[in-house]
Amino acid sequence: MLRHLTLLIVILLSGTKLFSQVDHWETAVFETDIWNYLVPSSAVDPAWNDVGFNTTGWSTGQGGFGYGDGDDQTVLPNGTISCFQRIEFNVVDTSNIFIAALTIDYDDAFVAYLNGVEITRDLLAGTGQPTWDQQASGLHEALAYQGAYPAQYTISKSFLSANLNQGVNVLAVQTHNESATSSDMSSRVFLHFGISNTSNNYSPVPNWFVPPFVFTSSNLPIVVINTVGNITVPDEPKIDAIMGIIYNGEGNLNYINDPYNEYYGNIGIERRGSSSQSFPKKPYAIETRGPDSSNYNVSLFDWPADNDYALIAPYSDKSLIRNVLTYKLGSELGRWAPRTKLCELVLNGEYVGVYVLTEKIKQTPGRVNINELEYSDTVNNEITGGYIVKIDKTTGGGVIAWTSPFTAASPATGPIYYQMHDPDLDTLHPLQLNYIQQYITDFEVALDGPNYTDPVLGYEPYIDVNSFVDFMIMNEISKNVDGYRISTFYHKQHIHEGGKLVAGPLWDFNLGWGNANYCDGGLTTGWEIYFNDVCGGGGSLNNPFHWNKLVTDPEFTHKLNCRWQELRQDELHADSILAFIDAQAIYLTDAAGRNFTKWNTLGSYVWPNNYVGNTYLEEIDYLKTWTVDRINWMDANMFGTCPDLGADVNEYQFLIYPNPTNNSISVKSDNLLQNGMIELTDLTGKRLLYMAFAGKAEMILDLSDYESGIYLINIYENNRIVSHEKIIRL
């Protein structure tokens, strides 16, 4: 018996409330009907899915189709890559069919057509008809035999009006396996009609079928997207669509028939993500466009204007807010993190649940605040910044820019791969790629070297240490099982901005906060930097050695401990975090109910859940309990010490003049330095001068031997930079 899962209403872009016009539901096609089918070994005639196609040479059999594992009437031979099936059915009167629903239980991928026009697909990359030997891009297990409800897709009135015939029609389905060696395959298909009057021309629906409910309003913004021709959104490239957003302001209800008052216009859309694409609830990347299909910057929800956004699809994260929580805390730490907006999405007339609309990571004003890198920026200060690099999987389309000469942290032996995020690798000048590769390699050499703790000869001149402290705190408080090794971003400033490598921004924490049942991800104890000790191997997804080495430096752990204690008083106080979680849960009460009616995951394991709650409240309570336990453990086990927490910090003021200068420059200090040093570098960071500046009120630097140009003066006290100034030698 199939378990109850209600459908959700289809809503057209115009905002019409559809199901008020449905009198009852009937079934036109059953899985156990007699179908024509073909297990091909070569190309199939592209007209196979249309009315009038000659099926001579095809077999006939009763659905479903598969490997005979208890849910198939027609057994396919082992080693099947794909099965093509089609069935003709008769429509008496198209005018009284107001909506349709396709129910399909499949393993591993499928694409379905009505009279040759694609209805929807899953786990088959690209557009158009997949070739007979195309393998599924992921694994999808059939659900009905497990007592769960299979996937269900609504077919809008507009699609039916354009493609459903009065008389003979064809429903066609391609089902594809993940590989020829897969142990299972399945295809079970139903087609149901929502009838607008009391006529009965088809068959009663199965007893497990429950009519959809009406989605009319939400306290969340409503995002409505229609692709041109109702085409299923592919993995890539972006396809044309229209997006409207209804948002009447915080605290007000948004109705599906309200005007699109937050945004209405053209977009490009594609699927995004790697493992997240294997879930039936798909994540999307969107690009706002002008009338000529070019990128068009817009400000959504008063965010800084841009054209690149993401619709994150929380599926295994049943709290729905793990990314929202992380980015909020990251922002409160004083670092840029993507802004988020919880919303409900309607795609091609189908309600698809609660999503997180968020900014994407990129170099632009209001996002990652580094100056833009132009292709022509190949010398002096211009080449030294504007880079965003990442350590990540390549399955989401990433391309390796270079491989570190170092391996991942012990005991693993895997390499460290770097990718260019912004600018893209193929837009970099070769000199720019060489610069950023060499800079990060120099950082790794210094960190791995015998003098790595030296404030001058070690790693410190290369990185913004405080950003690495904050990055580590956020990955550890969330015990992010993907932390450090996946979705890890660094960005590089220009010399005149500070010149350092900065850790962050934060990205993709849906498996953090106790939501992973592997590699100790669900435990509230243990440090995530030691992931390789638990799960490391020779692969390419291990933690880099950076973090393990940093925590062996007493100065780094001192800063880490002080920062942790400081944040625990306010931003990371348990009461503050729990209050935010509670507020989000209350805000999501109604929307979460709709989401989990659409995606019946409560009470069921979804990879890689460490906990399975039967209700949304139980999921929220687990998140809160886990977070408190994690914070308590970190309090008791934090690296380093901070005996000087709360001590007064001297404010150092320096006067550096004349600037510009012809020959010499004077540096005056209001407060005498006890352990001061002064450093002169060029714009590439090469040290030209380094001398003591202790117990002196003034120093004069002779620049007569240096060429005209821009230089940097760094002043240290107790191995900490207390002043950073750009000077000009005329």
Side-chain angles (χ1 to χ4, degrees):
M1 179 66 69
L2 296 174
R3 204 150 41 109
H4 172 162
L5 175 67
T6 54
L7 287 172
L8 298 178
I9 182 172
V10 172
I11 302 165
L12 295 177
L13 197 58
S14 62
T16 306
K17 301 178 198 175
L18 298 177
F19 284 107
S20 59
Q21 302 185 43
V22 172
D23 178 79
H24 66 284
W25 286 80
E26 299 182 49
T27 299
V29 175
F30 289 86
E31 61 154 335
T32 53
D33 288 342
I34 303 299
W35 298 67
N36 293 108
Y37 74 98
L38 176 70
V39 177
S41 57
S42 60
V44 179
D45 188 330
W48 76 274
N49 56 8
D50 210 345
V51 176
F53 176 74
N54 187 346
T55 57
T56 300
W58 285 48
S59 302
T60 58
Q62 186 181 28
F65 297 89
Y67 282 180
D69 48 4
D71 59 349
D72 308 307
Q73 304 301 318
T74 296
V75 178
L76 304 177
N78 288 341
T80 296
I81 290 293
S82 65
C83 176
F84 289 52
Q85 63 185 89
R86 53 173 279 147
I87 189 170
E88 294 188 350
F89 62 95
N90 192 64
V91 171
V92 177
D93 185 358
T94 58
S95 66
N96 64 18
I97 299 175
F98 198 76
I99 203 68
L102 176 76
T103 304
I104 179 167
D105 200 24
Y106 60 98
D107 184 330
D108 288 296
F110 80 95
V111 57
Y113 311 89
L114 175 62
N115 296 327
V117 180
E118 182 175 322
I119 300 170
T120 189
R121 71 171 66 198
D122 190 33
L123 293 179
L124 284 173
T127 57
Q129 289 189 29
T131 59
W132 72 273
D133 56 351
Q134 181 174 332
Q135 296 181 356
S137 58
L139 296 171
H140 182 278
E141 182 70 14
L143 300 174
Y145 81 94
Q146 305 177 61
Y149 199 92
Q152 193 139 323
Y153 302 86
T154 50
I155 307 172
S156 68
K157 176 65 172 177
S158 59
F159 183 92
L160 295 174
S161 297
N163 300 297
L164 187 66
N165 299 327
Q166 187 125 327
V168 178
N169 295 264
V170 169
L171 176 64
V173 178
Q174 288 177 237
T175 307
H176 288 244
N177 224 335
E178 186 267 340
S179 72
T181 58
S182 176
S183 62
D184 50 6
M185 187 178 189
S186 188
S187 178
R188 305 171 64 187
V189 184
F190 297 80
L191 181 65
H192 318 281
F193 288 150
I195 309 299
S196 60
N197 58 27
T198 58
S199 63
N200 289 277
N201 297 311
Y202 311 98
S203 299
V205 295
N207 57 9
W208 46 262
F209 182 83
V210 177
F213 63 82
V214 178
F215 173 57
T216 59
S217 65
S218 176
N219 62 320
L220 276 58
I222 300 173
V223 179
V224 184
I225 297 175
N226 266 16
T227 62
V228 173
N230 282 343
I231 296 173
T232 301
V233 178
D235 181 19
E236 59 180 10
K238 289 185 176 72
I239 59 173
D240 292 332
I242 297 175
M243 179 173 75
I245 300 178
I246 302 165
Y247 180 55
N248 295 321
E250 214 57 44
N252 297 314
L253 279 178
N254 307 293
Y255 293 90
I256 194 63
N257 54 355
D258 283 345
Y260 299 117
N261 51 8
E262 184 63 35
Y263 178 81
Y264 181 74
N266 299 323
I267 64 168
I269 184 171
E270 65 184 359
R271 294 183 187 177
R272 64 165 309 279
S274 179
S275 58
S276 57
Q277 281 205 45
S278 65
F279 297 129
K281 185 181 181 183
K282 307 299 181 186
Y284 301 104
I286 59 176
E287 175 183 85
T288 52
R289 294 174 172 176
D292 60 353
S293 294
S294 61
N295 292 0
Y296 181 70
N297 288 348
V298 300
S299 174
L300 302 180
F301 309 109
D302 296 324
W303 299 346
D306 205 271
N307 56 75
D308 283 318
Y309 300 90
L311 280 164
I312 306 300
Y315 188 76
S316 65
D317 171 17
K318 297 171 196 171
S319 77
L320 307 175
I321 61 168
R322 281 178 166 86
N323 278 319
V324 175
L325 171 63
T326 304
Y327 302 160
K328 180 257 187 186
L329 293 177
S331 178
E332 289 186 347
L333 265 58
R335 308 288 172 184
W336 181 84
R339 298 169 181 87
T340 62
K341 200 74 171 179
L342 289 159
C343 61
E344 294 190 81
L345 177 63
V346 177
L347 176 62
N348 285 337
E350 181 179 1
Y351 175 90
V352 284
V354 171
Y355 276 69
V356 182
L357 180 62
T358 183
E359 298 173 303
K360 295 176 69 176
I361 292 174
K362 63 187 297 188
Q363 180 283 317
T364 189
R367 294 196 183 177
V368 182
N369 190 25
I370 50 177
N371 285 354
E372 184 177 4
L373 182 69
E374 301 286 355
Y375 186 79
S376 59
D377 294 337
T378 59
V379 296
N380 298 329
N381 176 68
E382 286 74 18
I383 197 174
T384 64
Y387 304 91
I388 304 177
V389 302
K390 66 178 178 177
I391 300 171
D392 203 359
K393 300 176 183 177
T394 57
T395 51
V399 178
I400 297 171
W402 77 89
T403 303
S404 167
F406 296 89
T407 58
S410 177
T413 58
I416 306 171
Y417 294 127
Y418 288 96
Q419 301 176 31
M420 288 306 306
H421 179 74
D422 190 12
D424 291 332
L425 179 61
D426 58 6
T427 66
L428 277 184
H429 191 287
L431 292 175
Q432 295 168 340
L433 178 59
N434 180 70
Y435 174 85
I436 188 60
Q437 178 179 347
Q438 190 61 52
Y439 187 93
I440 291 179
T441 299
D442 288 346
F443 154 63
E444 293 181 319
V445 169
L447 182 61
D448 188 62
N451 300 313
Y452 74 100
T453 61
D454 189 289
V456 176
L457 302 177
Y459 68 86
E460 189 172 342
Y462 294 95
I463 67 171
D464 180 330
V465 176
N466 292 334
S467 73
F468 276 70
V469 166
D470 285 352
F471 191 84
M472 182 175 170
I473 285 174
M474 287 307 305
N475 275 280
E476 292 298 341
I477 191 175
S478 60
K479 193 81 182 296
N480 182 17
V481 75
D482 284 349
Y484 311 117
R485 63 192 189 94
I486 298 172
S487 298
T488 289
F489 289 82
Y490 299 145
H491 60 279
K492 172 69 170 66
Q493 303 167 326
H494 285 84
I495 290 294
H496 75 263
E497 299 170 308
K500 301 293 186 72
L501 188 69
V502 182
L506 302 170
W507 186 253
D508 194 7
F509 281 66
N510 61 307
L511 299 187
W513 306 96
N515 194 33
N517 66 348
Y518 63 93
C519 298
D520 289 352
L523 300 182
T524 57
T525 59
W527 296 108
E528 192 59 31
I529 60 167
Y530 299 135
F531 172 91
N532 299 357
D533 294 324
V534 179
C535 277
S540 60
L541 296 177
N542 297 310
N543 282 355
F545 77 96
H546 311 156
W547 306 94
N548 302 55
K549 195 65 179 287
L550 286 171
V551 296
T552 64
D553 177 13
E555 181 60 27
F556 183 87
T557 57
H558 170 253
K559 291 180 178 179
L560 179 65
N561 194 294
C562 290
R563 179 64 165 160
W564 172 253
Q565 292 192 53
E566 172 195 347
L567 293 171
R568 286 285 287 115
Q569 305 307 307
D570 188 3
E571 294 88 350
L572 298 185
H573 194 289
D575 289 348
S576 300
I577 298 176
L578 298 187
F580 179 79
I581 294 173
D582 282 337
Q584 296 301 296
I586 293 171
Y587 180 56
L588 282 167
T589 298
D590 293 338
R594 289 186 288 269
N595 180 83
F596 292 116
T597 300
K598 172 65 179 179
W599 309 109
N600 190 22
T601 57
L602 291 176
S604 300
Y605 171 80
V606 176
W607 181 89
N609 292 159
N610 183 62
Y611 170 81
V612 177
N614 292 311
T615 66
Y616 182 57
L617 180 59
E618 289 181 3
E619 290 286 346
I620 292 295
D621 285 345
Y622 167 73
L623 173 60
K624 291 164 60 179
T625 300
W626 187 95
T627 299
V628 171
D629 290 346
R630 178 63 178 165
I631 288 173
N632 290 339
W633 185 88
M634 289 178 66
D635 282 342
N637 294 274
M638 180 53 63
F639 293 97
T641 60
C642 187
D644 51 332
L645 182 69
D648 292 336
V649 178
N650 291 327
E651 292 293 331
Y652 296 99
Q653 299 294 328
F654 298 92
L655 179 62
I656 300 176
Y657 69 97
N659 189 14
T661 183
N662 288 310
N663 294 306
S664 62
I665 196 160
S666 178
V667 181
K668 285 188 174 182
S669 172
D670 289 346
N671 300 326
L672 295 183
L673 301 177
Q674 300 303 311
N675 298 290
M677 301 293 292
I678 190 165
E679 176 186 50
L680 180 72
T681 74
D682 63 17
L683 286 181
T684 68
K686 179 182 178 181
R687 177 181 291 167
L688 306 173
L689 181 151
Y690 188 66
M691 64 179 65
F693 184 27
K696 298 179 181 180
E698 181 176 9
M699 282 194 70
I700 297 177
L701 305 182
D702 183 4
L703 305 181
S704 58
D705 291 336
Y706 301 110
E707 297 180 355
S708 300
I710 301 174
Y711 297 86
L712 295 170
I713 288 180
N714 297 314
I715 302 173
Y716 296 82
E717 172 69 333
N718 293 322
N719 298 325
R720 178 172 63 93
I721 290 181
V722 293
S723 180
H724 176 82
E725 187 73 26
K726 179 173 65 177
I727 62 172
I728 299 174
R729 163 80 163 91
L730 296 175

